[in-house]
């Protein structure tokens, strides 16, 4: 059993057609032709592509009848209960919230004859993970005032509040918007948070351009319904819009009234630094650079991590290179990919509704041809460029303008104050006194940017004084590990993840040091269920909760993120996981080729060889 560290949940919880194309014409399929700039128009879902109404999934019907995501949210917000009805729980996801309950308390509540104790997760969508000290301080205030006193950095460069009561939900979302952030489309069947490299490099404009592109895509693909402003940003008594922008017309030029068949994820990276993990996304954009200029992007499609063990038709996938596009047409291609998924993705079975299943069904060439139809012309083949690096940006780095950034490793993304470890308080002091820029990484950590050289020691002193380990004091294995939330709030989790991984790493670090492998760099990712929120299926080591107290061990991915791993052992009891990994690491030490990484070694050997040769090594 992995030792459980004091966690946040030991803390108190505070209180027909859509509007038609504007221009018609002949297309190869005989349908209205997709205009060359489809994002600029209200678009149609052809009747022939829509499933028979009787075959639509229940969620599709909920969306269709919701009046552009309104449903009964307003009425149920005011009904005095602590939870929403099941239909409404689907709609609030689009607004950035999940209804949850603390599963640790279920038995206790049942014994008292009570129902579940409901609360809510509220997620802030932050394209590229870029925000200010003032915004981070405001989110920390919210987690103390109306959350469970913790704030969590997500694996997609966002922030999550946990433990928000229904009575405080409007206040939470309203205040997040007051600081010029948003929860809209942080969840739901839409484009989620657009990821990209957060590094504040100043020696050229490449990184600024990547981050600006992430923001442009996020704004372009954000839902346009007025429901969000009406529900969360309007004074319910006076009806006055309290923030700039007010209400918006109910037209969804990209999504239509039923939005996408399933969630859609996008990320941008460079070949030398795939820190945004683009191959795990529905849509990945690999920037091609010549000199100091981005000349275009390789368009990567069809990645996705989630699986359903009871459904053999589901699987994880890494994306495939589809095309190359110049920057001036990038938004057009992004839109075309989204539209094809909108019109042809599976709306009957949500288990196979992601883009990866459409591509698996059609094949990449047919999919590309359909994207070209919507795009309005042929697309060039992808350039010969592969990812060959992944920088987590931790530690001190000179930005290129005479100032520095510091990458602060945050274990599993949880910002929490507990005895001997006060990372929230440390960040409060740093943000209040020095006001650095804040960047969130895809590995759940923080970059403190724009630091004057004379303040480097001051930041380290603040961290040490609050018991926060410096990045250089954290083992490589722990630094490159990552876990999803899992128990007690995730309704899908079957095992522990965030609360178990620190204890596992304590034990594994001992074995790594014993083997003399402390200098090795490999990704280890753990999830409490097969849905893969911490991206376990393309990591060097993936630990996926299969049933209570047991994990499936995957090996053979790699730190660059462009290769799936394979199933090594299934149903490994929690208390045996470290011993299994220690045997693999011992074999790796003895049989690796010069310079070979752990993931490449396991990939070369394969499951059969590893199983045959690791058993001879002593257990922990």
């Amino acid at each position: 059993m992995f030792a459980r560290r004091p966690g946040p949940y030991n803390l108190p919880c505070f209180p027909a057609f859509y509007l038609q194309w504007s221009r018609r014409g002949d297309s190869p399929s005989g349908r209205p032709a997709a205009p060359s700039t489809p994002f600029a128009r209200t678009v149609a879902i052809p009747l022939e592509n829509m499933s028979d109404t009787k075959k639509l999934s229940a969620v599709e019907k909920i969306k269709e009848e919701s009046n552009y995501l309104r449903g009964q949210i307003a009425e149920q917000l005011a009904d005095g209960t602590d939870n929403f009805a099941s239909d409404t729980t689907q709609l609030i996801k689009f607004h950035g919230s999940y209804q949850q309950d603390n599963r640790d308390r279920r038995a206790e509540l049942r014994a008292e004859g009570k129902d579940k104790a409901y609360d809510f997760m509220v997620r802030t969508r932050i394209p590229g993970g870029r925000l200010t000290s003032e915004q981070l301080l405001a989110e920390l205030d919210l987690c103390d005032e109306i959350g469970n006193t913790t704030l969590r950095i997500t694996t997609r460069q966002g922030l999550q509040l946990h433990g928000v009561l229904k009575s405080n939900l409007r206040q939470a979302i309203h205040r997040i918007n007051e600081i010029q952030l948003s929860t809209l489309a942080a969840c739901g069947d839409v484009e989620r948070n657009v990821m990209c490299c957060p590094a504040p490099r100043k020696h050229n404009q490449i990184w600024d351009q990547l981050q600006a592109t992430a923001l442009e895509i996020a704004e372009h693909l954000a839902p346009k319904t007025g429901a969000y402003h009406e529900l969360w940003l309007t004074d319910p008594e006076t009806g006055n819009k309290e923030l700039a922008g007010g209400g918006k017309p109910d037209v969804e030029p990209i999504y239509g009234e039923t939005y996408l068949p399933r969630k859609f994820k996008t990320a941008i990276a460079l070949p030398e630094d795939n820190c945004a993990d683009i191959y795990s996304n529905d849509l990945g954009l690999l920037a091609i650079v010549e000199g100091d200029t981005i000349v275009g992007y390789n368009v990567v499609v069809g990645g996705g991590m989630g699986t359903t063990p009871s459904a053999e038709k589901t699987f994880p996938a890494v994306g495939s290179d589809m095309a190359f596009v110049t920057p001036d047409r990038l938004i057009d291609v992004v839109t075309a990919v989204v539209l094809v998924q909108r019109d042809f993705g599976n709306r009957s079975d949500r288990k196979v509704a992601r883009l990866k299943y459409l591509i698996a069904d059609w094949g990449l060439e047919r999919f590309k041809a359909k994207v070209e139809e919507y795009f309005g012309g042929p697309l060039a083949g992808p350039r010969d460029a592969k990812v060959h690096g992944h920088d987590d940006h931790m530690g001190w780095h000179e930005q290129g303008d005479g100032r520095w950034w510091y990458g602060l490793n945050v274990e599993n993304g949880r910002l929490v104050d507990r005895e001997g470890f006060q990372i929230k308080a440390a960040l409060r002091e740093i943000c209040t006194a020095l006001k650095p820029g804040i960047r969130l990484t895809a590995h759940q950590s923080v970059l403190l940017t724009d630091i004057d050289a004379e303040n480097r020691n001051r930041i380290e002193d603040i961290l040490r004084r609050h018991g926060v380990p410096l990045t250089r004091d954290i083992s490589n294995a722990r630094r490159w590990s990552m876990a999803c939330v899992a128990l007690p709030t995730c309704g899908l989790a079957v095992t522990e993840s965030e609360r178990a991984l620190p204890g596992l790493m304590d034990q594994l670090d001992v074995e790594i040091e014993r083997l003399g492998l402390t200098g090795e760099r490999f990704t280890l990712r753990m999830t409490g269920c097969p849905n893969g929120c911490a991206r376990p299926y393309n990591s060097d080591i993936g630990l996926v909760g299969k049933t209570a107290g047991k994990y499936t061990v995957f090996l053979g991915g790699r730190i660059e993120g462009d290769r799936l791993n394979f199933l090594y052992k299934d149903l490994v009891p929690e208390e045996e996981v470290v011993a299994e990994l220690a045997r693999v690491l011992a074999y790796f030490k003895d049989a690796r080729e010069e310079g070979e990484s752990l993931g490449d070694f396991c990939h070369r050997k394969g499951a059969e060889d590893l199983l045959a040769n690791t058993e001879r090594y002593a257990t922990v």
Side-chain angles (χ1 to χ4, degrees):
M1 183 75 67
F2 313 134
R4 301 294 195 273
R5 290 191 177 174
Y9 301 104
N10 296 348
L11 297 168
C13 179
F14 295 96
F17 261 94
Y18 295 112
L19 297 178
Q20 300 294 318
W21 297 105
S22 61
R23 180 181 66 191
R24 298 179 69 92
D26 294 331
S27 72
S29 64
R31 297 196 313 276
S36 61
T37 54
F39 62 92
R41 296 173 168 84
T42 300
V43 294
I45 297 181
L47 290 174
E48 67 194 69
N49 298 334
M50 296 186 69
S51 302
D52 184 276
T53 302
K54 295 179 181 178
K55 297 180 181 178
L56 292 176
S57 72
V59 175
E60 288 303 310
K61 295 180 181 179
I62 291 169
K63 290 185 289 185
E64 185 177 16
E65 297 170 359
S66 73
N67 186 19
Y68 293 95
L69 307 180
R70 290 172 177 82
Q72 297 296 309
I73 295 176
E75 293 82 354
Q76 292 179 28
L77 274 171
D79 67 10
T81 66
D82 65 353
N83 67 296
F84 289 105
S86 58
D87 285 8
T88 304
T89 62
Q90 297 297 327
L91 295 179
I92 64 170
K93 294 177 184 178
F94 291 82
H95 299 267
S97 181
Y98 275 76
Q99 181 169 290
Q100 301 178 329
D101 72 290
N102 189 328
R103 292 170 62 183
D104 287 347
R105 297 191 59 204
R106 285 183 181 179
E108 167 198 341
L109 290 168
R110 280 197 299 268
E112 297 175 1
K114 299 178 181 178
D115 198 0
K116 300 173 183 177
Y118 292 100
D119 55 34
F120 294 81
M121 179 271 283
V122 177
R123 182 181 296 155
T124 304
R125 178 177 58 88
I126 307 172
R130 187 171 183 169
L131 65 163
T132 66
S133 279
E134 291 77 11
Q135 288 169 329
L136 180 59
L137 287 168
E139 292 261 7
L140 290 171
D141 287 343
L142 273 175
C143 82
D144 285 345
E145 295 168 18
I146 59 177
N148 69 352
T149 76
T150 78
L151 186 64
R152 196 173 196 272
I153 304 168
T154 76
T155 60
R156 295 193 60 79
Q157 298 179 288
L159 290 171
Q160 288 183 180
L161 298 169
H162 287 267
V164 178
L165 300 180
K166 182 184 173 187
S167 57
N168 290 326
L169 195 54
R170 187 194 300 271
Q171 179 186 0
I173 295 176
H174 191 111
R175 286 178 58 183
I176 288 169
N177 278 267
E178 285 182 324
I179 59 172
Q180 303 302 306
L181 294 174
S182 179
T183 66
L184 178 64
C187 322
D189 297 343
V190 288
E191 170 64 60
R192 299 289 184 88
N193 199 41
V194 179
M195 301 169 67
C196 80
C197 175
R201 300 186 187 276
K202 304 296 184 182
H203 58 273
N204 61 43
Q205 299 302 307
I206 298 299
W207 281 264
D208 285 344
Q209 187 173 340
L210 291 180
Q211 290 153 12
T213 299
L215 181 60
E216 181 182 10
I217 293 171
E219 291 178 344
H220 172 64
L221 295 179
K224 304 300 186 283
T225 175
Y228 186 77
H229 278 74
E230 293 171 16
L231 290 165
W232 313 109
L233 311 181
T234 300
D235 185 323
E237 295 183 1
T238 67
N240 290 330
K241 305 294 187 293
E242 297 188 0
L243 297 182
K248 297 180 180 179
D250 284 331
V251 173
E252 289 287 7
I254 292 175
Y255 293 122
E257 65 182 5
T258 51
Y259 297 84
L260 297 180
R262 205 68 165 80
K263 61 187 174 184
F264 193 94
K265 298 178 178 179
T266 300
I268 310 171
L270 291 160
E272 65 269 27
D273 183 12
N274 187 27
C275 66
D277 217 353
I278 63 170
Y279 288 92
S280 66
N281 285 258
D282 298 87
L283 176 62
L285 303 170
L286 188 66
I288 307 301
V289 178
E290 295 179 359
D292 290 336
T293 302
I294 297 177
V295 297
Y297 298 84
N298 274 359
V299 180
V300 180
V301 294
M305 294 286 100
T307 67
T308 303
S310 60
E312 292 184 2
K313 60 189 173 184
T314 66
F315 50 81
V318 292
S320 300
D321 293 345
M322 181 187 75
F324 171 83
V325 62
T326 54
D328 60 308
R329 299 303 307 276
L330 178 63
I331 292 293
D332 294 15
V333 170
V334 168
T335 306
V337 171
V338 171
L339 294 183
V340 173
Q341 165 63 356
R342 181 204 66 183
D343 289 356
F344 296 94
N346 193 316
R347 291 183 182 266
S348 299
D349 186 350
R350 289 179 66 80
K351 289 184 174 64
V352 290
R354 293 285 296 275
L355 181 65
K356 62 183 177 181
Y357 299 111
L358 177 62
I359 293 174
D361 182 35
W362 281 7
L364 184 62
E365 288 308 308
R366 179 182 171 187
F367 178 79
K368 180 182 179 182
K370 186 61 66 175
V371 170
E372 289 174 329
E373 181 183 329
Y374 279 59
F375 175 69
L379 291 168
R383 296 282 183 93
D384 184 16
K386 302 295 182 184
V387 295
H388 52 84
H390 179 173
D391 188 347
D392 66 352
H393 307 294
M394 294 294 96
W396 286 109
H397 299 265
E398 206 276 327
Q399 294 182 173
D401 61 354
R403 294 191 289 181
W404 296 75
W405 88 74
Y406 182 69
L408 173 64
N409 183 271
V410 181
E411 190 166 27
N412 302 317
R414 184 70 66 174
L415 301 179
V416 58
D417 284 351
R418 56 175 178 258
E419 185 176 355
F421 178 80
Q422 307 283 314
I423 192 169
K424 275 172 51 189
L427 286 172
R428 281 190 182 280
E429 184 172 339
I430 291 169
C431 289
T432 301
L434 300 176
K435 294 181 172 54
I438 304 294
R439 310 283 180 94
L440 309 177
T441 79
H443 244 252
Q444 303 173 296
S445 291
V446 176
L447 308 186
L448 305 171
T449 74
D450 305 314
I451 305 296
D452 292 330
E454 59 267 26
N455 287 323
R456 288 179 55 179
N457 288 338
R458 185 177 177 185
I459 284 178
E460 292 192 1
D461 290 343
I462 291 171
L463 294 171
R464 286 196 186 97
R465 180 158 37 86
H466 289 88
V468 179
L470 301 180
T471 294
R472 62 174 176 266
D473 298 327
I474 297 170
S475 72
N476 266 351
R478 191 181 300 271
R479 171 173 162 175
W480 287 93
S481 69
M482 185 164 68
C484 71
V485 174
L487 296 170
T489 55
C490 177
L492 299 175
V494 294
T495 58
E496 296 281 2
S497 184
E498 179 186 342
R499 297 192 298 190
L501 187 56
L504 181 150
M505 297 310 303
D506 290 341
Q507 297 176 36
L508 189 61
D509 274 343
V510 172
E511 295 305 310
I512 289 171
E513 186 169 3
R514 177 179 65 84
L515 291 167
L517 295 174
T518 56
E520 294 302 315
R521 202 176 61 140
F522 56 85
T523 45
L524 187 155
R525 297 172 183 164
M526 184 183 222
T527 61
C529 81
N531 278 281
C533 291
R535 305 191 295 275
Y537 301 115
N538 63 344
S539 57
D540 296 80
I541 299 172
L543 304 175
V544 177
K546 184 68 174 289
T547 188
K550 296 182 179 180
Y551 297 84
T552 304
V553 179
F554 292 88
L555 299 173
R558 67 186 201 129
I559 204 165
E560 289 82 4
D562 58 346
R563 181 177 69 211
L564 289 177
N565 47 30
F566 56 82
L567 192 156
Y568 170 64
K569 282 192 176 182
D570 200 11
L571 295 172
V572 178
E574 179 180 342
E575 61 273 13
E576 297 177 16
V577 169
V578 172
E580 290 289 354
L581 296 181
R583 282 192 283 264
V584 171
L585 288 165
Y587 182 37
F588 165 64
K589 178 184 178 182
D590 288 350
R592 69 189 296 190
E593 295 178 351
E594 185 176 355
E596 191 173 33
S597 70
L598 175 63
D600 286 348
F601 169 79
C602 292
H603 178 73
R604 175 171 63 86
K605 290 294 186 180
E608 185 176 346
D609 180 281
L610 290 171
L611 289 168
N613 286 285
T614 54
E615 293 301 320
R616 70 176 184 265
Y617 290 92
T619 59
V620 179

